[in-house]
Amino acid sequence: MKKPLLLLPSLILTSLMLANPALAHHPLDGTTPTTLWHGIISGFAHPILGLDHLAFIVAIGLLALFQKNRLILPASFVGASLLGCLLFLVNIVIPFNEMLIALSVICIGVALAYGRKLASHYVIILAITAGLAHGTAYGDGIIGAEATPLVAYLLSFTVGQFLIALMVGYIAEKILSIRIANNIVARLSGAVTLGIGMTYMVENVEMMAFGVI
């Protein structure tokens, strides 16, 4: 039973990669949340329904295992994503944001697949940069909302992402025994994450070049 369990993260990421890259990011069919409950649902679901976001969160949870302080990477990413969302809501928009999101997924995939522990400052910079880009995308789902659903949305996606990253790290270490960077499951998961990032990068390039929807 142990070998199939060890391959579980890679199999999950592979199945996600084979899914439609245009999977909807909004659980409310793109409508603006109008209640507290809608804000909570939308905030928690947006990072999960967006394959690019989910892949990065899972990968950051794995990469955090190989750092001395295992909370700093998830916290850096989540904090930066909240900041990016707030900046978007006051009309400060990061240019080529979707390309940056795809690039962030590629970079963290490479970091995992590399199989060596990276210096903390490099991965923290990656986490913060990625968080700003991902957060900008989250802001698009709450434009025009009133104060109550807005606050619920912000808190929900912030707490939700952090808990997912921590849960991934806990399962990886305690159940799958992933403790070192050259673990084969971690490296395979990195390769799959890289594939997801490349898929989104190609999709964004096509949209920019040919107006593909």
Side-chain angles (χ1 to χ4, degrees):
M1 288 296 294
K2 190 172 182 180
K3 287 186 178 180
L5 279 175
L6 289 175
L7 294 176
L8 185 59
S10 298
L11 291 174
I12 291 174
L13 283 173
T14 301
S15 65
L16 287 172
M17 185 178 68
L18 294 175
N20 183 3
L23 183 65
H25 285 47
H26 305 285
L28 303 178
D29 294 325
T31 60
T32 302
T34 56
T35 67
L36 173 68
W37 183 239
H38 284 168
I40 293 173
I41 293 175
S42 185
F44 187 78
H46 191 154
I48 296 175
L49 294 180
L51 175 56
D52 46 356
H53 304 311
L54 181 59
F56 193 94
I57 296 167
V58 170
I60 206 78
L62 287 174
L63 197 61
L65 288 176
F66 315 130
Q67 299 297 312
K68 184 176 295 185
N69 186 333
R70 298 183 181 182
L71 297 180
I72 193 167
L73 283 186
S76 297
F77 172 72
V78 170
S81 68
L82 177 59
L83 177 59
C85 182
L86 292 173
L87 289 174
F88 180 83
L89 293 176
V90 295
N91 297 317
I92 300 176
V93 181
I94 298 175
F96 305 108
N97 184 62
E98 293 297 329
M99 295 286 286
L100 285 175
I101 291 174
L103 182 60
S104 73
V105 178
I106 290 172
C107 288
I108 201 166
V110 170
L112 275 174
Y114 183 55
R116 295 184 183 180
K117 182 179 177 180
L118 301 175
S120 295
H121 57 278
Y122 290 130
V123 287
I124 290 173
I125 290 172
L126 171 59
I128 292 174
T129 304
L132 290 171
H134 287 256
T136 298
Y138 297 154
D140 188 49
I142 197 65
I143 295 176
E146 298 294 332
T148 298
L150 173 61
V151 172
Y153 178 85
L154 294 175
L155 290 176
S156 184
F157 84 70
T158 300
V159 174
Q161 289 181 111
F162 192 66
L163 290 178
I164 291 171
L166 292 184
M167 181 181 66
V168 167
Y170 179 85
I171 292 173
E173 181 184 26
K174 302 300 183 181
I175 299 178
L176 304 178
S177 300
I178 299 175
R179 297 185 179 89
I180 54 177
N182 66 355
N183 179 279
I184 185 61
V185 179
R187 299 188 70 181
L188 284 173
S189 297
V192 175
T193 303
L194 171 60
I196 293 172
M198 291 297 296
T199 300
Y200 272 89
M201 181 63 76
V202 170
E203 183 183 66
N204 279 290
V205 169
E206 287 179 343
M207 291 179 66
M208 291 179 65
F210 308 110
V212 177
I213 299 178

